[in-house]
C-alpha cells in the first residue's frame, strides 16, 4: 500500500502531520523514537547474548551441605543519625507493636 502512494499524496500526508504536531515537536518526537529504537535493539542483543552463552559447569561438590555463615547485617541509618543503626537479628521473631 505504501508503494502505491503518489508524490502528491506523500506531500499531503506530511502537511497534515506538520499541522497536527507542529514543526517544533517533530524533531523531539523523532529523537525519542530513535532512542527507543536503540534501547530496543540493545536489549534484544543482550537477550540473544544471554541465550547463546552456555551454562558454565559447576565444580562444587556436595561434601559440605551447610551454607557458609553470612556476616551480620546492619540496618543503615539516615545520614547524620548515628543512634538508629542496629544489627539485624535474623533469628528473632517480629513482635506486634500497638
Amino acid at each position: 500500500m505504501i508503494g502505491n502512494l503518489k508524490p502528491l499524496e506523500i506531500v499531503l500526508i506530511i502537511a497534515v502531520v506538520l499541522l497536527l504536531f507542529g514543526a517544533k515537536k517533530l524533531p523531539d518526537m523523532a529523537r525519542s523514537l530513535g532512542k527507543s529504537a536503540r534501547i530496543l535493539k540493545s536489549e534484544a542483543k543482550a537477550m540473544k547474548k544471554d541465550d547463546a552463552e552456555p551454562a558454565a559447569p559447576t565444580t562444587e561438590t556436595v561434601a559440605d551441605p551447610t551454607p557458609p555463615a553470612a556476616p551480620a547485617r546492619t540496618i543503615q541509618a539516615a545520614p547524620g543519625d548515628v543512634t538508629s543503626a542496629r544489627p539485624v537479628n535474623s533469628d528473632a521473631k517480629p513482635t506486634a507493636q500497638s
Side-chain angles (χ1 to χ4, degrees):
M1 178 170 168
I2 293 179
N4 297 334
L5 291 178
K6 297 177 183 158
L8 183 61
E9 294 169 338
I10 293 173
V11 170
L12 182 64
I13 291 171
I14 291 173
V16 168
V17 168
L18 278 172
L19 288 173
L20 286 176
F21 297 108
K24 291 183 179 179
K25 288 191 178 185
L26 285 178
D28 292 335
M29 290 172 55
R31 203 171 295 122
S32 65
L33 184 64
K35 278 184 181 179
S36 300
R38 278 193 300 269
I39 290 171
L40 181 66
K41 185 177 178 181
S42 67
E43 291 296 324
K45 276 186 181 179
M47 288 178 69
K48 284 183 181 179
K49 181 182 171 189
D50 288 345
D51 289 342
E53 291 178 1
T58 59
T59 58
E60 184 177 313
T61 59
V62 190
D64 189 14
T66 59
R73 298 181 303 158
T74 58
I75 297 174
Q76 296 296 321
D81 184 15
V82 294
T83 59
S84 64
R86 62 187 190 281
V88 176
N89 188 359
S90 60
D91 297 334
K93 295 183 180 177
T95 59
Q97 295 178 354
S98 316

